[in-house]
Amino acid sequence: MASLPNPLPALADLELGLPSGTLLGTTLWLADDPAHPGDWTTYQQAPRTVGLLPVLIDVGAGHGGPGEWELEPEEMSYPGDHDAEEILSDFWDECCAGEAGDWPGLAAPPAAQADADARAAEVVDSLLDGGGPLKDPRLALVPARRSADIPTAIGWLGQTNYADDTARLSAVLRSWEDRFGARVVALGFDQLIVSVAAPPTTLDDALAVAAEHFAFCPDNIWQGPTGTTLQTYAERQLLNRPAWHFWWD
């Protein structure tokens, strides 16, 4: 992974007005207390000026916090060295082609619907209102150039049973940033949530995106509710949806 000047070790000297937190390794600062609606805006603005990006980290769900996870930032390659379509095509051929035919190619980007950072703040606040998939979310800061690189920067391995180099997933996330205004807003032990500023607005477009999701995270289909198909997934999880949720078994 290409390195950046890392302000985390000197975070206490930067006077960003942040609450108390803990530095885990050199690539993740985690707030000590649970996050609340409205907190994200603070983390989106001042830290970005010194090269830090925010993400929610779920320390609940029975897996403990990231101090108990395997994080291997030094083992990751650089997302920019990978091509998103090539990665998705390879994943498709390995896992999906037998039941879904040939790789259909990347989905076309829809028209922009919202500011990507504003949509991220809205999604985070909805996640923090309770009742969502996160059990004990804490706000965290990561040294990264762009939101898509956050999982790679911390060496996250939530998808390790599927893809051992997280940079390959970040390359796809970069493509989704560019095409759909996606932002990585939350990570758990084995789950990833992104906000989406320009989700598909027609069923045909949603089906095209569903194919990318199937290649990226087959468990979204295979481990979904009984009877989940690409069509039902597109209708229920993608059409006009402001957030995408991924989970690897």
Side-chain angles (χ1 to χ4, degrees), residues 156-169:
W156 183 72
L157 290 172
Q159 80 305 333
T160 191
N161 291 333
Y162 185 58
D164 57 4
D165 184 359
T166 308
R168 300 179 75 200
L169 298 189

